[in-house]
Amino acid sequence: MKTNSTFKTRSCFALIFILALSLNLKGQTTHNVSVTSNVFTPSQLTITVGDKVVWKNDEGSHNVNGKQATFPNNPSSFGNEVGAAWTYEYVFNTAGTYNYQCDPHAGMGMVGKVIVNPKTVTSSQTMADVTEKIRLYPNPASEYIELIVPSNYKTINSVKIYSIAGSVVDEKTFSENKETFRYDISLFRNGIYLIEVNAENQKNVLKFIKQ
Ligand SMILES: [Cu+2]
């Protein structure tokens, strides 16, 4: 009974961790803009589709107006009302160039711009295509694991191994091109591990079992 509930709790943590990793895999980055009198800092941001921008007003009465009523070429409308001491955030889900202003101080040059680039994937492949191609064997493994990397990846920049509890077990960074990568796990405790492989700006997470 007790073991069962412990197991359930651990599985639950494991699931949350995997979910957190896959969210991370989507790669949303948060960009902060400080709002003061009378400037947005930075006034221009270049971000990627899916990224979040957080404006924090620390000083004075301002707003963010990126509405299409004011800027008809903005791919979508965003913004808030004039006020003091607020935080406003917006997730940019459409690529393009967005202009915005602070209504009370636009005439004083309190304007900003967000350039949203589409997600880039090397060559013309989709993320899913690429993800399928790094292979890990043997699995389950006891002495070592080997990653086989397709040539279009060119370089594995780094690998990071996590225990299922979410702690980083090991981390390695590489400079040379690698098509296979063998990693000794003989000293690992038995259990489930996740290996995060960073290659050519692609992040992949693979699971393996040490037994
Ligand atoms: Cu202002």
Side-chain angles (χ1 to χ4, degrees), residues 35-40 57 59-64 82-83 86 101-106 108 110:
V35 181
T36 52
S37 299
N38 291 317
V39 66
F40 295 107
N57 178 7
E59 178 186 287
S61 199
H62 308 281
N63 77 328
V64 169
V82 177
W86 45 256
Q101 65 181 32
C102 166
D103 291 326
H105 307 114
M108 298 168 70
M110 190 167 178

Side-chain angles (χ1 to χ4, degrees), residues 46-100:
T46 301
I47 69 172
T48 303
V49 162
D51 283 0
K52 184 199 282 184
V53 177
V54 179
W55 287 265
K56 193 166 182 296
N57 178 7
D58 295 315
E59 178 186 287
S61 199
H62 308 281
N63 77 328
V64 169
N65 174 6
K67 304 237 158 75
Q68 285 169 326
T70 310
F71 298 99
N73 293 328
N74 280 4
S76 64
S77 281
F78 62 99
N80 64 352
E81 300 303 313
V82 177
W86 45 256
T87 298
Y88 169 72
E89 58 182 58
Y90 186 76
V91 176
F92 290 85
N93 286 319
T94 306
T97 299
Y98 298 72
N99 287 292
Y100 64 92

Side-chain angles (χ1 to χ4, degrees), residues 169-187:
V169 177
D170 197 15
E171 199 170 348
K172 286 193 186 304
T173 305
F174 309 107
S175 50
E176 79 273 39
N177 285 8
K178 281 183 178 294
E179 288 186 353
T180 63
F181 164 63
R182 182 183 275 236
Y183 186 84
D184 188 344
I185 58 159
S186 58
L187 297 178

Side-chain angles (χ1 to χ4, degrees), residues 24 52 59 124 204:
N24 189 29
K52 184 199 282 184
E59 178 186 287
S124 59
N204 292 271

Side-chain angles (χ1 to χ4, degrees), residues 115-169:
I115 297 165
V116 182
N117 288 322
K119 276 199 199 302
T120 50
V121 173
T122 47
S123 69
S124 59
Q125 292 168 313
T126 66
M127 194 67 139
D129 288 339
V130 177
T131 304
E132 280 165 1
K133 288 184 180 167
I134 286 187
R135 289 186 297 124
L136 180 152
Y137 84 95
N139 194 7
S142 52
E143 297 299 313
Y144 66 90
I145 52 166
E146 198 155 296
L147 293 169
I148 303 180
V149 183
S151 55
N152 58 318
Y153 268 83
K154 297 190 184 101
T155 308
I156 298 184
N157 301 316
S158 63
V159 299
K160 213 182 232 184
I161 296 178
Y162 298 89
S163 72
I164 200 69
S167 52
V168 177
V169 177

